[in-house]
Amino acid sequence: MKQESADPNTPPRSPSPAPSAQHPRDDGDAQALWIFGYGSLVWRPDFAYSDSRVGFVRGYSRRFWQGDTFHRGSDKMPGRVVTLLEDHEGCTWGVAYQVQGEQVSEALKYLNVREAVLGGYDTKEVTFYPQDTPDQPLKALAYVATPQNPGYLGPAPEEAIATQILACRGFSGHNLEYLLRLADFMQLCGPQAQDEHLAAIVDAVGTMLPCFCPTEQALALV
């Protein structure tokens, strides 16, 4: 892929898988693999890794369009979690984790259950630009939920997504926690990291939260 240079509209320098997918390897280490996380993986990877870098991928936008009946919801009340939507003007921030040697097979085995079996995600190769060295992009593996998977919910107004998030809980916790942790991560990335979809849902939640539960319960959820 042609290497792109940074411009004023992009962040400046400054932290079973599908059988057909080929796992991108680190050019400097044939036994190394980079894995890009843009949802719960940014704060809870839960696998051993050798290095991690905050950065972004271009050509994709993050959307709360995937249903979750395990981690953040149930069969009766699916939660809303994120996937990547191909978008020529898009830029999605996240964290890339490098796994090496035995870490590679262990991480892929774990993520196959967490993301593919329980989440409905497939694998896709993306180009990751580290925040500190965007002129040195890396090939990385990302887990993406496509419209073909049975849990895919697709687009909805941000207010409707916020309502669904406020009502759902799964084995990994409340759907609201997922939303707010992702929003916190974006804040830590700095003002250059923008996600209008995420921000609109957070704003809608802030407006609706007092109507869903008393103040004490609302603070407990946050």
Side-chain angles (χ1 to χ4, degrees):
M1 178 177 292
K2 182 179 179 181
Q3 189 168 313
E4 302 178 62
S5 59
D7 61 58
N9 296 319
T10 54
R13 303 186 185 193
S14 52
S16 95
S20 59
Q22 294 183 350
H23 301 146
R25 300 286 175 164
D26 190 321
D27 291 339
D29 186 348
Q31 299 301 314
L33 170 70
W34 287 93
I35 299 170
F36 176 65
Y38 56 93
S40 61
L41 287 179
V42 303
W43 71 85
R44 188 174 66 85
D46 279 356
F47 57 82
Y49 56 90
S50 302
D51 190 12
S52 65
R53 301 182 189 180
V54 171
F56 56 93
V57 297
R58 292 181 177 138
Y60 295 92
S61 291
R62 179 169 32 218
R63 292 289 183 269
F64 277 80
W65 288 3
Q66 175 66 4
D68 188 338
T69 60
F70 184 84
H71 296 291
R72 301 291 175 172
S74 64
D75 289 334
K76 292 183 179 180
M77 298 182 67
R80 284 264 184 174
V81 292
V82 293
T83 185
L84 292 180
L85 173 71
E86 290 191 13
D87 176 4
H88 180 69
E89 301 297 325
C91 178
T92 297
W93 280 75
V95 180
Y97 300 94
Q98 185 190 53
V99 289
Q100 297 176 312
E102 293 182 356
Q103 293 176 344
V104 175
S105 60
E106 292 172 358
L108 292 176
K109 181 179 179 181
Y110 168 71
L111 290 172
N112 180 48
V113 175
R114 173 173 166 175
E115 304 294 337
V117 176
L118 297 177
Y121 289 72
D122 290 328
T123 53
K124 186 179 185 68
E125 182 180 297
V126 296
T127 301
F128 173 78
Y129 297 85
Q131 182 180 31
D132 294 331
T133 55
D135 56 339
Q136 299 175 27
L138 306 166
K139 295 296 184 181
L141 184 72
Y143 287 80
V144 179
T146 67
Q148 287 70 43
N149 85 83
Y152 190 78
L153 298 177
E158 278 79 8
E159 293 78 8
I161 294 175
T163 300
Q164 189 170 353
I165 287 174
L166 283 169
C168 293
R169 176 186 293 273
F171 286 102
S172 294
H174 202 285
N175 206 173
L176 178 59
E177 178 199 15
Y178 178 98
L179 172 71
L180 297 182
R181 282 186 178 272
L182 192 53
D184 285 344
F185 166 76
M186 290 295 290
Q187 289 286 331
L188 292 174
C189 290
Q192 70 273 17
Q194 299 295 321
D195 189 327
E196 294 181 359
H197 176 71
L198 172 63
I201 297 171
V202 171
D203 288 345
V205 163
T207 301
M208 298 175 183
L209 191 56
C211 301
F212 270 75
C213 52
T215 303
E216 294 78 6
Q217 294 181 21
L219 290 174
L221 287 175
V222 175

